[in-house]
Amino acid sequence: MKCTQIAVMLMVLGGVAVAQGPPQDANRKVEHGGIFAPGWKGVVDDLSAKRGETIENSRLAMDGKNLHVTTGPATTYWNVSDMAKGDYTVSATFREPHYMNLNDHPHPYGIVIGANDMGTENQSFLYCAAYGSGKFIVRGMGPGPFQMNGRTGQENEAVHKAAGKDAEVVQQISMQVKGDTVSCSINGTQVWSANKTDVMASGKLKSTDGAYGIRAAHNTEVEVIDLKLSK
């Protein structure tokens, strides 16, 4: 066998070995998982569902008046009685008590709006989420995933940075629909905005009207304080 053939074979075998290796940052299965907050529902992302993971693999519970989220798979939560229509602002404070305590790199959490047909193959929603590293993302499902500020999100000085692993970090996040504009503000600074036509396109939102709620990426723990709708 020629040297070049041997080299190619080694490269192929090496690639197979890598592909068959253990998954990186695999979803945890949260102990005592499920939803323990009256009126709330949740759904895991489609890829996790195809692997057999369910809402029982993450946990949403009341902590006094606040919501406490601990995820295995990435999860979107909404309350069936919480609907927003027309012009509105949805806001909450997100407290990550121990930055990166369930993962080896930053994972985001934030506000969900425009949620329709949730838990079905036709669901659509938009969310703005912050990382304790100083980045944020604006993404959605329609029903496939879509991105509004790039594949990896953006850095912004308004987004708070944790002092280090296991340190506390707090973000105040709001999403607003006003006239023809949809926007996201973090810690009092508008970090993103778009025209409604940019988010209500094919494969994106059905409408900015709909349920609102919260979302947390996989392997994340966060407390949600004072989630509210303002007109």
Side-chain angles (χ1 to χ4, degrees):
M1 185 179 290
K2 294 181 180 180
C3 292
T4 54
Q5 291 175 309
I6 294 173
V8 169
M9 184 176 292
L10 288 172
M11 289 174 66
V12 170
L13 289 174
V16 170
V18 170
Q20 293 178 342
Q24 298 298 310
D25 196 20
N27 294 346
R28 300 162 57 93
K29 184 174 182 179
V30 177
E31 189 174 359
H32 306 302
I35 297 177
F36 305 95
W40 284 82
K41 291 187 176 183
V43 63
V44 301
D45 285 0
D46 186 55
L47 183 60
S48 296
K50 288 178 179 177
R51 292 195 293 253
E53 298 176 87
T54 71
I55 198 64
E56 303 297 322
N57 290 42
S58 292
R59 179 180 171 87
L60 174 70
M62 298 301 299
D63 184 3
K65 294 182 179 181
N66 303 328
L67 294 164
H68 194 107
V69 179
T70 310
T71 58
T75 306
T76 303
Y77 293 104
W78 69 99
N79 192 306
V80 295
S81 64
D82 291 343
M83 302 292 291
K85 186 176 181 179
D87 288 354
Y88 61 83
T89 300
V90 177
S91 61
T93 297
F94 293 80
R95 173 180 171 265
E96 189 174 6
H98 306 287
Y99 176 60
M100 296 200 314
N101 63 322
L102 301 181
N103 48 67
D104 60 7
H105 58 278
H107 286 175
Y109 37 81
I111 295 286
V112 171
I113 63 168
N116 286 283
D117 300 319
M118 296 300 289
T120 77
E121 62 181 13
N122 296 315
Q123 68 181 7
S124 66
F125 60 89
L126 181 72
Y127 65 94
C128 178
Y131 296 75
S133 61
K135 290 179 63 175
F136 76 98
I137 53 174
V138 182
R139 295 181 180 176
M141 299 288 181
F146 63 88
Q147 303 156 354
M148 296 303 302
N149 70 329
R151 187 176 65 85
T152 60
Q154 296 171 279
E155 300 274 352
N156 193 288
E157 292 183 356
V159 184
H160 294 159
K161 293 183 179 181
K165 184 174 173 59
D166 290 319
E168 178 186 86
V169 60
V170 177
Q171 316 280 3
Q172 201 284 332
I173 305 174
S174 65
M175 295 197 73
Q176 183 179 63
V177 178
K178 187 174 183 179
D180 292 328
T181 302
V182 183
S183 63
C184 175
S185 295
I186 300 178
N187 300 317
T189 297
Q190 186 181 101
V191 295
W192 171 87
S193 67
N195 192 281
K196 272 188 180 181
T197 56
D198 293 329
V199 298
M200 290 173 56
S202 176
K204 296 181 181 179
L205 284 190
K206 294 180 179 67
S207 174
T208 54
D209 295 347
Y212 64 90
I214 54 178
R215 178 179 167 86
H218 73 144
N219 301 343
T220 299
E221 181 182 13
V222 64
E223 183 180 19
V224 184
I225 302 164
D226 195 26
L227 174 67
K228 63 184 178 183
L229 171 71
S230 303
K231 285 288 192 176

